[in-house]
Amino acid sequence: MLLWFVVIYLVISIGIGLYAATRVHSARDYIVAGRNLPFYVVLAMVFATWFGAETVLGISATFLEEGFRGLISDPLGASLCLVLFGLIFARPLYRMNLLTLGDFFRIRYNRQTELVLSICIVLSYLGWVGAQMTALGLVFNVLSADVVSTTQGVLIGAGVVLVYTLFGGMWSVAMTTFVQMIVIVLGLAYVTWIAGDMAGGVGQVIAHASAAGKFEWLPQLDALDMLAWIAALFTMMLGSIPQQDVFQRVNASKNERVAVWGTTLGGVSYFFFAAIPLFLAYTAMLIDPAMVARLMEQDSQLILPTLIVNYMPFAAQVVFFGALLSVIMSTASGTLLAPAVTFSENVLKGFWKDMSDRQLLLATRITVVVFAGLVTLYAVSSDESIHGMVENAYRITLAGAFVPLVAGLFWSRANNLGATLSIVLGLATWLLFEMFVPEGDIEPQLYGLIASALGMLIGGLLGAPNARPPHGGHGHAAAGTHHVASR
C-alpha cells in the first residue's frame, strides 16, 4: 500500500512537469523559464535543489558517525555558498543577462577558457546527480522490502526525473520544486514531531547528543587540523559558486532584487532546516540503538528509512517517503538540467556556429538524455556514500573555475593569460596531489585553489588587461538570441 502511494505521487509529479512543458516555446524558456520567476519560487528552488538526498540520508548518517565535525562542508559550507552567491555574485551576473556561466567565461576571457571551464562544470555534476539517483534506488529498495533492488530503483527513479525534466526544462523544475518544497517542509516537520515524542522529547534528544559530543564543530588549535577544517569548508562553500544550477536559479528570477534575496534567503532556510534530518536521525539512537549499531556497520544511509518503516504509523510513512522523494527529485531535476545546458550552450554550440534556437533546444534535450544515462551508470557502479559523492563533486570547480570567476567579476586586471595560468596551475596541482598524496593532511583541492590564485595573479600582473564587459547589455538580450559573433 505504501509503495502505491509513492507511485501515485510520482505520477502527479510527472503530470505537473509535463503541464509546465506547455510553457516552453524557445531555448530561453527551457533554460531560464523566460526570466520570469517570482521571489517565492526562486527561494523554493534554491532551498529544495540543495536540500537533497545528501541532506536527508547523507549528512544525517554522517552526523551519527562524526557529529558536527563531519558536516563542515554540508550544510555549513553549502549554506554559506548560497548566501555568498546571493549577496556578492547574483547582482553583477544577473545584469549581464546570460544563459550560462560558460557564456561569462567566453565574454570575459575567450573561447578556450569557456570550453575548458564548461567541461569542468559538467564533470562536477556527475557526483551530485549520481548521489540523487543512488538515493532513489535506496528508497525504492526499502519501500519494496527488497523486491526492487537498489539498481532497479536507480533506473526507475532516473526514468521519472528524466521524463519531466526532458520536456519542461526550467519551467518543470520550477513548478514541481515549489510543490515539492511544501511537501518537504510539512512532511519532515510532522515526522520529526512524532519521532521526538517517541525518543522522550526534544530536550532529551538534544541533551543526549550534546553529552555524546555531537555538537563539537570547531577545529582543534592545531595547524593541520585547522587546514583540514578549512579545506572541507572551502570545497563546498567556494567550489559550489561556479556552478550552473545556482546561476540558473538566479538568472531565472524576474528581477535583480528577486535574484539576490531569493538566493540568499534560500541559503539561510537551507541551513536551519537541515537540522531537521539530523535531529530525526539521532532520535533513532534513542528509539532503537541496536538497529542503529547494525546499520552503521552495514549502510548508515538506511537508518532513517528503516526507522520510519519499523516504528512510524502508516500516515507518517506516507508523509516521510513523499517528502524524501520530493527532496531527491527536486535536486535531481535541477542538477540534471544544469550540466546539459552548459554542454549544449558552451561546448556543442561553439563547434556548430549557425545553430538556431530550435536546434539549441533540441540539442539540450538530447544532452539531458545522455547525461541522465551517464549519471545513472555512475550511481550504479559507484560504492561511494551519498555524502561522499556530493562532497567530491566540487573539487574540480574549486581548483579550476572559482578564481577565474571571481577575478573576472571583481579584478580589472584579470586577463586571458591569467585565466590560462589559473586553470592550468589549479587543475594540474589538484590532480597531482589527488594522484600522489590523496590522503595527505591537507585536501588536494586546497593546493589547487592556492595555485589557481597564484596563476591569476601572475598572469594579471604580466599580461595586458582584457576589456571588461559592462554588467548588462551583453548576453541574451531577447528570447532565443545569441551572440555567435563573440565566439
Side-chain angles (χ1 to χ4, degrees):
M1 182 64 70
L2 179 60
L3 187 58
W4 279 111
F5 271 102
V6 169
V7 170
I8 291 170
Y9 180 74
L10 292 176
V11 171
I12 292 172
S13 296
I14 292 174
I16 295 171
L18 293 179
Y19 168 74
T22 60
R23 297 192 175 209
V24 176
H25 306 293
S26 67
R28 188 177 181 81
D29 288 336
Y30 190 81
I31 295 170
V32 293
R35 258 195 158 200
N36 198 36
L37 298 181
F39 170 79
Y40 61 89
V41 175
V42 174
L43 188 152
M45 285 201 303
V46 171
F47 168 81
T49 298
W50 281 59
F51 198 88
E54 73 282 1
T55 312
V56 178
L57 300 179
I59 70 173
S60 59
T62 303
F63 176 70
L64 292 179
E65 296 170 348
E66 305 175 36
F68 277 168
R69 274 302 300 268
L71 308 181
I72 301 306
S73 61
D74 190 9
L76 179 60
S79 303
L80 288 174
C81 163
L82 293 173
V83 172
L84 287 175
F85 200 102
L87 295 178
I88 298 174
F89 295 89
R91 185 171 280 106
L93 286 172
Y94 185 84
R95 290 175 180 174
M96 294 186 72
N97 195 16
L98 308 170
L99 282 186
T100 65
L101 277 179
D103 290 344
F104 170 81
F105 292 125
R106 183 188 70 252
I107 292 172
R108 187 64 179 87
Y109 301 110
N110 52 32
R111 165 62 182 163
Q112 290 73 31
T113 301
E114 172 197 22
L115 181 62
V116 173
L117 292 185
S118 294
I119 291 173
C120 289
I121 289 171
V122 170
L123 291 175
S124 72
Y125 279 94
L126 275 174
W128 197 3
V129 190
Q132 312 313 312
M133 301 308 179
T134 299
L136 286 170
L138 284 173
V139 170
F140 283 111
N141 178 252
V142 171
L143 287 176
S144 66
D146 290 328
V147 173
V148 177
S149 69
T150 301
T151 299
Q152 291 169 333
V154 169
L155 295 174
I156 294 169
V160 171
V161 173
L162 174 61
V163 168
Y164 68 77
T165 307
L166 175 65
F167 293 103
M170 184 56 87
W171 272 118
S172 288
V173 171
M175 288 191 176
T176 54
T177 296
F178 182 70
V179 174
Q180 288 160 351
M181 179 187 172
I182 296 172
V183 176
I184 291 168
V185 172
L186 297 180
L188 287 182
Y190 170 64
V191 172
T192 303
W193 173 57
I194 294 176
D197 280 348
M198 293 174 65
V202 174
Q204 173 72 15
V205 176
I206 293 175
H208 194 281
S210 178
K214 298 299 182 182
F215 295 153
E216 296 174 6
W217 63 283
L218 290 171
Q220 299 174 5
L221 295 178
D222 173 80
L224 290 178
D225 191 58
M226 287 190 285
L227 283 172
W229 192 93
I230 292 169
L233 180 68
F234 278 17
T235 298
M236 189 75 84
M237 182 177 74
L238 304 183
S240 302
I241 285 176
Q243 288 287 345
Q244 176 62 21
D245 65 283
V246 184
F247 172 77
Q248 215 162 332
R249 277 139 190 76
V250 166
N251 212 34
S253 305
K254 69 176 184 179
N255 58 47
E256 190 177 300
R257 183 180 178 86
V258 169
V260 172
W261 293 109
T263 308
T264 302
L265 295 180
V268 173
S269 302
Y270 172 69
F271 178 78
F272 285 106
F273 204 76
I276 296 272
L278 305 185
F279 177 85
L280 186 56
Y282 204 83
T283 62
M285 291 280 291
L286 303 181
I287 295 170
D288 191 345
M291 178 268 288
V292 171
R294 174 173 55 83
L295 290 179
M296 290 278 275
E297 295 182 1
Q298 178 187 337
D299 185 352
S300 59
Q301 296 167 152
L302 291 172
I303 290 174
L304 269 187
T306 304
L307 171 71
I308 301 302
V309 169
N310 290 349
Y311 288 94
M312 292 285 170
F314 181 74
Q317 293 179 29
V318 172
V319 168
F320 173 80
F321 283 104
L324 181 57
L325 284 172
S326 294
V327 161
I328 299 168
M329 292 193 300
S330 62
T331 301
S333 58
T335 52
L336 181 60
L337 181 63
V341 167
T342 299
F343 182 84
S344 60
E345 166 75 4
N346 301 116
V347 177
L348 187 60
K349 191 164 186 175
F351 298 103
W352 189 347
K353 300 294 185 182
D354 57 348
M355 181 185 286
S356 67
D357 183 77
R358 182 178 294 274
Q359 289 168 332
L360 175 61
L361 179 57
L362 177 61
T364 304
R365 282 176 164 154
I366 292 173
T367 308
V368 167
V369 175
V370 173
F371 196 78
L374 290 175
V375 296
T376 301
L377 180 63
Y378 175 75
V380 169
S381 59
S382 176
D383 57 359
E384 186 77 57
S385 71
I386 291 172
H387 191 206
M389 284 184 184
V390 174
E391 213 171 21
N392 292 334
Y394 305 106
R395 296 185 175 206
I396 188 171
T397 47
L398 178 65
F402 176 73
V403 171
L405 175 63
V406 175
L409 282 171
F410 304 112
W411 192 35
S412 61
R413 290 200 62 87
N415 56 20
N416 293 345
L417 176 61
T420 301
L421 290 176
S422 178
I423 295 166
V424 171
L425 291 178
L427 293 179
T429 303
W430 165 61
L431 287 172
L432 284 172
F433 277 91
E434 197 73 64
M435 287 188 292
F436 298 110
V437 201
E439 303 298 330
D441 293 317
I442 301 174
E443 294 283 346
Q445 65 272 18
L446 194 57
Y447 289 112
L449 174 64
I450 295 169
S452 179
L454 287 174
M456 178 60 75
L457 181 64
I458 293 168
L461 294 177
L462 295 181
N466 293 1
R468 288 186 67 189
H471 290 161
H474 279 70
H476 298 248
T481 61
H482 186 67
H483 291 263
V484 177
S486 64
R487 294 187 187 276

